[in-house]
Amino acid sequence: MKVNRKPYYHRSSIENTLAQMPRYNAYACVYGKHKSKKKPNRAKRKEELRKELKNY
């Protein structure tokens, strides 16, 4: 008779703590997504460009 063994994964204490932490929901609060240097806010840059062209 063959015994089916399922592989298991042992989490470290840090991984377990991070898994239990609540996720950040950007749309639940007013502020939206976190700002990042990698992903610039294109709408803000567009608005700055329009202001600059308007004053030119």
Side-chain angles (χ1 to χ4, degrees):
M1 184 165 99
K2 204 174 200 182
V3 177
N4 291 334
R5 286 189 174 180
K6 293 182 181 179
Y8 64 93
Y9 177 74
H10 180 74
R11 282 191 194 170
S12 68
S13 61
I14 295 171
E15 287 174 328
N16 195 31
T17 304
L18 290 174
Q20 290 175 357
M21 288 175 67
R23 303 265 187 255
Y24 176 74
N25 185 357
Y27 300 102
C29 60
V30 181
Y31 301 107
K33 292 165 60 173
H34 285 304
K35 297 195 174 30
S36 171
K37 288 183 180 180
K38 289 182 180 179
K39 297 179 182 178
N41 189 349
R42 290 189 173 93
K44 192 172 183 181
R45 299 289 170 250
K46 230 179 192 180
E47 186 181 344
E48 289 172 359
L49 180 63
R50 284 190 192 126
K51 283 181 183 177
E52 194 176 314
L53 292 174
K54 188 178 179 182
N55 294 334
Y56 181 69

